[in-house]
Amino acid sequence: MLRVIAMTMFSIILFSEVIRASQLRVVDLTHTHDLDAVAWPSDPVYNFTTIFRGFSEGVWLQFNSFQTPEHIGTHIDAPSHFNQDALSVHQIPIEKLIGPGVIINVKLKVEANSDYRVSIEDIEDWETKYNKIPDGAIVIMNSGWSLRYPNKTLLFGTQTYTDTTTYHFPSWHEDTVDWLLKNRNINVIGVDSTSVDYGPATNFPVHQLLGANNITGVENVANLDSIPESGTIINVAPFQLYGGSGSPSRVYATYTVETPRKMRKNKN
C-alpha cells in the first residue's frame, strides 16, 4: 500500500514538473470575419446588421444579425463542395477536424512563381526534416500569400477581380494531393491562399480529389509564420451547418515550448 501511495505521489510530482517545464501556446490562424472578408466574386456578399446596441432597463444589451456565404474568409470546403455523394459540413466527424500540423513552406518558390503548386518534392523535403507525416495530419501550404489578405487585387493576383480567368495565386498540385491521399493518412489539406486549386485552374482538380476521398479543405489560413512547421496540433472549427458545402471557420494551433525551471535572478 505504501508503495502504491509513493508511486502515485511520484507521478503527481513528475506531472507537475512537466507542466512547469513547458508552456502551452495558442495561435489564431483565422482572418477576421467582417465586411472586408473575401469570397469568390460569384458568391453573395457578407452583411452585418446591428439589431440593438444600448441600455435596456439599465442593463447594457447588444445583439446583431449577419448573413454570410459559406466560402468566405478563413473557411472549410466540405467534401460535398465538389462531390454530390460526399460529406456535408454537419456530417464531417469532429475527430477529422483536428490533427498534427504539417506546414509546407514554399515561400521562396512562390516569390519566383506566383502560380507555384506544392510538389511531391516539397513533401519529401518536409519529411527529411521532420520525419514521416503523422497520421491524421492537417497539411497546410505556407506561401506567404496571407499577407495579401484582404486586398482582392493582390490576393487573386489580378487587376480584374470579377474575371476568374485572370487569377494568379499559388496552391496545391493535384499530383501531390493524389500522392498524399494514397500514401499518407490525412485529415485536412489547406492553403494560406484563396483556393486549394491554384489561380489558373479551370476544372478544380484538387477540389474534385478532396471530394471524391471525403477530405476537408481549408482556405485563407492566416499567421502560419507564427507557428512551427512541425509539432503543433491544429484545430479547424466550422459552424455545425446542416447540409453545408462549406463554412466560415475558426482555425487555431496549439503547441508547447520549454521554459526554464528557475528564473534567473536580477543582478541589479
Side-chain angles (χ1 to χ4, degrees), residues 259-268:
T259 57
R261 287 176 179 265
K262 293 182 179 180
M263 298 293 292
R264 293 183 179 178
K265 293 182 179 179
N266 192 335
K267 296 182 180 180
N268 296 328

Side-chain angles (χ1 to χ4, degrees), residues 140-181:
I140 304 177
M141 174 193 78
N142 180 9
S143 66
W145 213 255
S146 67
L147 295 176
R148 299 170 177 242
Y149 191 97
N151 186 310
K152 293 177 182 178
T153 297
L154 296 178
L155 191 64
F156 288 94
T158 178
Q159 294 295 323
T160 51
Y161 159 68
T162 57
D163 183 357
T164 60
T165 65
T166 66
Y167 288 178
H168 293 280
F169 54 81
S171 195
W172 287 90
H173 196 290
E174 60 269 24
D175 291 346
T176 310
V177 172
D178 186 57
W179 185 91
L180 280 171
L181 297 180

Side-chain angles (χ1 to χ4, degrees), residues 1-7:
M1 184 64 179
L2 289 176
R3 183 176 180 180
V4 172
I5 294 173
M7 290 297 293

Side-chain angles (χ1 to χ4, degrees), residues 35-255:
L35 293 175
D36 291 326
V38 178
W40 212 253
S42 58
D43 286 356
V45 297
Y46 170 78
N47 287 301
F48 183 92
T49 303
T50 298
I51 305 301
F52 184 85
R53 187 176 188 271
F55 286 93
S56 175
E57 298 181 356
V59 177
W60 175 262
L61 178 63
Q62 178 179 350
F63 56 97
N64 314 289
S65 173
F66 67 92
Q67 182 179 19
T68 185
E70 296 173 318
H71 303 272
I72 184 173
T74 305
H75 68 276
I76 68 161
D77 287 352
S80 63
H81 187 31
F82 270 75
N83 189 300
Q84 62 181 342
D85 298 318
L87 299 175
S88 296
V89 172
H90 76 285
Q91 297 171 317
I92 302 171
I94 194 70
E95 62 269 20
K96 294 294 186 179
L97 295 171
I98 183 173
V102 172
I103 309 303
I104 309 297
N105 188 330
V106 293
K107 290 189 292 184
L108 291 178
K109 295 179 179 180
V110 169
E111 286 181 8
N113 176 13
S114 62
D115 290 330
Y116 186 77
R117 291 183 284 175
V118 179
S119 67
I120 296 174
E121 182 182 5
D122 295 322
I123 301 298
E124 292 172 341
D125 288 345
W126 189 94
E127 292 193 332
T128 298
K129 293 179 183 177
Y130 304 112
N131 296 318
K132 182 179 178 181
I133 290 174
D135 288 345
I138 295 182
V139 187
I140 304 177
M141 174 193 78
N142 180 9
S143 66
W145 213 255
S146 67
L147 295 176
R148 299 170 177 242
Y149 191 97
N151 186 310
K152 293 177 182 178
T153 297
L154 296 178
L155 191 64
F156 288 94
T158 178
Q159 294 295 323
T160 51
Y161 159 68
T162 57
D163 183 357
T164 60
T165 65
T166 66
Y167 288 178
H168 293 280
F169 54 81
S171 195
W172 287 90
H173 196 290
E174 60 269 24
D175 291 346
T176 310
V177 172
D178 186 57
W179 185 91
L180 280 171
L181 297 180
K182 290 177 178 177
N183 295 282
R184 299 293 183 266
N185 177 13
I186 304 299
N187 276 356
V188 176
I189 287 180
V191 290
D192 62 340
S193 62
T194 195
S195 172
V196 291
D197 278 290
Y198 81 139
T202 55
N203 60 347
F204 302 101
V206 172
H207 281 86
Q208 293 191 55
L209 276 169
L210 297 184
N213 289 273
N214 267 324
I215 298 295
T216 299
V218 61
E219 298 169 337
N220 288 320
V221 181
N223 301 326
L224 291 171
D225 285 340
S226 299
I227 63 173
E229 295 176 0
S230 176
T232 66
I233 297 296
I234 293 180
N235 300 261
V236 180
F239 297 156
Q240 181 72 318
L241 184 62
Y242 185 87
S245 71
S247 168
S249 303
R250 193 70 178 261
V251 180
Y252 59 97
T254 62
Y255 64 101

